[in-house]
Amino acid sequence: AGNHVSWELVDTGEDGHDTVVETTFDNNGASGLTFIGGPSGEFIDITSYNAGELVFEVRVLSNPNDHPLVYKVDGAQFEGTGERSLGQAPLNIWTSFAIPVATLQSQGLNLTEVTAFVLMPTFAGQDVVLQWDNVRFEPGLSGGAVEVGLPVDFETEGAFYNFVNFNGGASI
């Protein structure tokens, strides 16, 4: 049997998405993730991007269970964003995501000690094939990312309010 998570570089032949990472999470009941990062044991300092954003693009090729995708940015031990839902991405369409670095920092990321960008379906939602591309930090906000502060009034234009059904439970 092969690995639960496998990846390969795929040439899509598309403008803006020439060679992409294609990741397959099989349906054997295990959980897994995929990530990119710096050399093991070394930190990446992204403080020069503190007024900017993390940008990446995802295309889901298969997701028969309709589970949402999750990202996180890891740092030193106990200093990362934690898992953050991207919601359910549409099939076969490149979807761009832009997360302000200020948001990553407010979620617990130490900007001087970044180790990896992680992308995965929810652990309950493996059996997914996705492609991802153009992962980068940009020095400024594109206008696509909107930082929403507290209290949330749901009136901020351009903001994405991601809701999750907790089936009667609660989240902290």
Side-chain angles (χ1 to χ4, degrees):
N3 293 327
H4 168 64
V5 179
S6 59
W7 66 273
E8 63 181 318
L9 295 177
V10 174
D11 183 357
T12 68
E14 300 172 52
D15 282 345
H17 301 286
D18 297 330
T19 302
V20 303
V21 178
E22 183 170 300
T23 305
T24 300
F25 301 83
D26 76 14
N27 62 357
N28 69 5
S31 296
L33 53 83
T34 186
F35 69 93
I36 56 173
S40 181
E42 292 184 28
F43 295 121
I44 300 166
D45 183 344
I46 63 165
T47 53
S48 62
Y49 295 98
N50 66 344
E53 60 193 3
L54 167 64
V55 179
F56 56 97
E57 297 170 75
V58 177
R59 175 167 59 182
V60 177
L61 301 179
S62 174
N63 185 2
N65 298 310
D66 296 328
H67 289 290
L69 296 178
V70 174
Y71 82 92
K72 65 179 180 170
V73 181
D74 284 339
Q77 188 172 10
F78 308 116
E79 290 186 356
T81 63
E83 295 175 8
R84 303 294 170 174
S85 180
L86 294 168
Q88 188 178 339
L91 286 177
N92 301 311
I93 297 172
W94 283 107
T95 305
S96 296
F97 295 94
I99 298 111
V101 171
T103 299
L104 302 175
Q105 190 173 23
S106 73
Q107 295 168 339
L109 183 65
N110 178 338
L111 301 184
T112 65
E113 297 180 341
V114 175
T115 57
F117 168 73
V118 180
L119 185 63
M120 62 189 162
T122 58
F123 281 123
Q126 305 285 293
D127 192 16
V128 172
V129 179
L130 58 88
Q131 294 177 331
W132 46 304
D133 194 20
N134 299 319
V135 179
R136 64 199 184 277
F137 286 98
E138 291 287 342
L141 297 178
S142 64
V146 175
E147 189 168 351
V148 177
L150 295 176
V152 176
D153 64 7
F154 302 103
E155 300 296 325
T156 304
E157 281 193 36
F160 172 71
Y161 299 98
N162 186 26
F163 296 96
V164 176
N165 180 356
F166 291 102
N167 294 323
S171 173
I172 297 179

